[in-house]
Amino acid sequence: MASKSDKPVKPKRENPFKRIASVYKTIKAIDPQVTLWMLLGFVVVLGVGTLIGLLMGHVIASLLISIPFAALAAMIVLSRRGERAAFKQMEGQRGASIGGLSALRRGWYYDQEPVAADATKPSEINTAAVVFRALGRPGVVLLGEGPKHRVDKLFAKESKKVKRVAPGVPVHTYIVGSGEGELAPRKIRMTLTKLKPELSKEEMSVVNKRLKSLPGLRQGVPAGVDPSRARASRAAQRGR
């Protein structure tokens, strides 16, 4: 007979209200004004619902319908403010590109680590120029971080590698940062989703396999360097 200790333990379900409260506290620590914006969203939606109820002569029914929508509006505000706060924390950090790529919807392939860096010593990885790569229906996207002239050299090398294994596939390059002419991390999703689709899903799968098979995928990253140190921290991506 199996003992009681042999029985599988069912994972405890997390209380959704506790989870929301935890997220709210985390975001409020970064964005103190989030409470006011949530309250504003709630009041505006509730006010519109009440006005419609007055005009139709069904105030009580309108309130009952409006309250859940008002609460939903407050949650949407919390989510948006949290996302904005997370991206604000990423600005100026190596690996901010991954934060932007992680906001993309399904249909994109991307590497969690840089595919290239010009560091020569382990201690230089945080100040090195790095390039991250993504693949979607618009083609290959290279996101660089660091001084422009150094990033451009990495772009040229990576573009040649891509064209060698996937000729004819468009290659788009962007320098990620907060400077003039640079792509802010929070705008990565919007910018990439606006690109014209060029590949089918089947073609994307083929190209992705070819990119993964490239020798020297981490070319430019010296021995002893941990590429994961060039990624945005998980805490920053969660808005912490």
Side-chain angles (χ1 to χ4, degrees):
M1 275 181 80
S3 63
K4 292 183 180 180
S5 59
D6 294 331
K7 293 181 180 180
V9 179
K10 294 182 179 180
K12 292 183 179 180
R13 293 184 179 180
E14 185 179 0
N15 188 316
F17 295 103
K18 288 184 177 180
R19 183 172 58 185
I20 292 173
S22 178
V23 172
Y24 168 74
K25 289 179 181 178
T26 301
I27 296 175
K28 188 178 180 181
I30 304 170
D31 182 6
Q33 294 184 336
V34 66
T35 305
L36 293 177
W37 285 102
M38 288 177 67
L39 184 60
L40 179 62
F42 184 90
V43 170
V44 168
V45 173
L46 188 63
V48 171
T50 302
L51 180 61
I52 293 174
L54 287 171
L55 293 175
M56 297 181 65
H58 300 285
V59 179
I60 302 300
S62 179
L63 280 174
L64 293 175
I65 296 173
S66 300
I67 289 175
F69 282 99
L72 177 61
M75 292 301 99
I76 292 174
V77 170
L78 178 65
S79 175
R80 297 300 184 187
R81 298 289 295 191
E83 183 179 15
R84 182 178 299 181
F87 280 123
K88 188 175 181 180
Q89 280 198 322
M90 291 179 197
E91 291 182 1
Q93 295 184 12
R94 280 291 181 270
S97 299
I98 291 299
L101 290 173
S102 65
L104 287 168
R105 296 178 180 176
R106 294 181 180 179
W108 285 84
Y109 300 101
Y110 62 90
D111 297 284
Q112 289 285 343
E113 298 177 354
V115 293
D118 63 358
T120 57
K121 298 178 182 178
S123 59
E124 295 177 355
I125 189 64
N126 289 329
T127 57
V130 296
V131 171
F132 294 88
R133 186 178 65 211
L135 171 65
R137 292 197 62 194
V140 175
V141 177
L142 299 177
L143 301 175
E145 299 178 22
K148 186 179 185 304
H149 65 284
R150 291 164 59 186
V151 171
D152 285 340
K153 290 181 180 179
L154 294 179
F155 278 161
K157 291 180 181 179
E158 291 304 310
S159 295
K160 287 181 180 179
K161 290 165 63 177
V162 171
K163 290 177 181 178
R164 187 171 67 247
V165 298
V169 174
V171 178
H172 309 272
T173 59
Y174 300 94
I175 296 180
V176 177
S178 55
E180 185 177 354
E182 297 179 340
L183 180 63
R186 61 185 175 83
K187 294 183 178 180
I188 290 176
R189 177 179 61 182
M190 180 175 61
T191 300
L192 299 193
T193 52
K194 285 185 177 181
L195 294 174
K196 181 181 177 182
E198 299 286 352
L199 305 174
S200 65
K201 292 183 178 180
E202 292 73 19
E203 289 171 332
M204 279 178 56
S205 180
V206 173
V207 173
N208 184 53
K209 290 179 180 179
R210 292 183 179 181
L211 293 177
K212 291 295 184 183
S213 67
L214 276 172
L217 188 63
R218 299 186 185 186
Q219 183 178 0
V221 181
V225 172
D226 180 8
S228 65
R229 293 182 61 190
R231 291 184 289 172
S233 67
R234 294 292 182 183
Q237 293 182 34
R238 290 193 298 266
R240 294 181 181 179

